[in-house]
Amino acid sequence: MMTGPTRRIVTGHDASGQAIIQEDGPVPRYKQVGGATGPVFHEVWNTRATPAPIDASSGEPDEDGILLAAPKNGTRIRVLDIPPDDDSFKDMTPEEAKAHFAEIGAADASSFTGKESRHAHMHRTETIDYGIVLEGEVVLIMDEGETTVRPGDIVIQRGTNHGWANRSDKNCRIAFILIDGEFDPALKG
């Protein structure tokens, strides 16, 4: 099982234009969100524009804390450790769910309304997300339907309301690439 912060290797160019390894070490932002039963975010990199500027040796754009969605007109890559669901989800209130998402700058992303919701961490962001399971398994829960996602499976999550449930007894590690998006006016709901 993979543990600890994800290793990040960043390339760049030296003064003569030769390709170099600019950084090699653990991700600088690594945090558990939502208490002892919450996921661990490994923030790998973000960009702030499309196309993303490529220069000789700049680093990742500055960012405080952990933010759920991609930056406006940008991208984000993160690794997420999702521990097994715990009984606290059954008694979670909508206010507690919103507080969980507020820790990552996205209280309004929470769509949990109580017992009638499919999972306490149901949410929606205005992004296209590519999720690649690295180890373990997780259940992708939609408004209608669900499916188990296993190592090597790739989810293309297109701004839909969804949640992730780890119904196993082992951690699930999943890599996400998030791309800023824009809802069709008919889907803003």
Side-chain angles (χ1 to χ4, degrees):
M1 174 176 89
M2 298 179 209
T3 59
T6 301
R7 179 181 174 201
R8 178 177 87 170
I9 299 131
V10 179
T11 65
H13 297 88
D14 66 15
S16 63
Q18 295 296 303
I20 61 167
I21 295 173
Q22 184 176 317
E23 288 181 40
D24 185 345
V27 294
R29 291 177 294 131
Y30 169 81
K31 179 181 179 187
Q32 186 163 25
V33 173
T37 62
V40 177
F41 285 70
H42 308 243
E43 295 301 278
V44 180
W45 195 263
N46 77 84
T47 63
R48 299 297 172 119
T50 301
I54 300 171
D55 62 12
S57 62
S58 68
E60 178 185 18
D62 286 337
E63 191 168 67
D64 290 329
I66 306 291
L67 299 173
L68 181 61
K72 189 71 179 153
N73 299 316
T75 65
R76 175 177 315 287
I77 182 169
R78 76 167 40 105
V79 172
L80 193 62
D81 285 326
I82 303 173
D85 281 7
D86 121 315
D87 287 338
S88 68
F89 292 171
K90 294 176 188 168
D91 297 323
M92 189 173 286
T93 67
E95 295 75 25
E96 289 169 327
K98 280 195 181 300
H100 172 86
F101 282 95
E103 287 187 52
I104 48 179
D108 291 341
S110 177
S111 60
F112 180 66
T113 58
K115 301 279 185 205
E116 64 278 1
S117 292
R118 301 214 50 216
H119 191 274
H121 291 164
M122 293 293 285
H123 65 285
R124 183 178 187 208
T125 57
E126 200 166 0
T127 58
I128 301 292
D129 306 342
Y130 304 139
I132 307 160
V133 174
L134 303 173
E135 72 175 30
E137 67 180 41
V138 67
V139 178
L140 170 61
I141 303 169
M142 306 301 294
D143 289 335
E144 299 289 331
E146 62 182 51
T147 191
T148 301
V149 188
R150 295 181 175 88
D153 292 346
I154 301 170
V155 174
I156 295 89
Q157 204 296 109
R158 302 176 49 238
T160 55
N161 189 43
H162 67 287
W164 301 100
N166 184 343
R167 297 176 182 156
S168 77
D169 61 352
K170 296 182 176 125
N171 183 62
C172 174
R173 182 168 275 197
I174 185 169
F176 284 102
I177 297 92
L178 296 85
I179 303 166
D180 183 40
E182 187 173 304
F183 286 132
D184 179 298
L187 295 177
K188 286 199 175 190

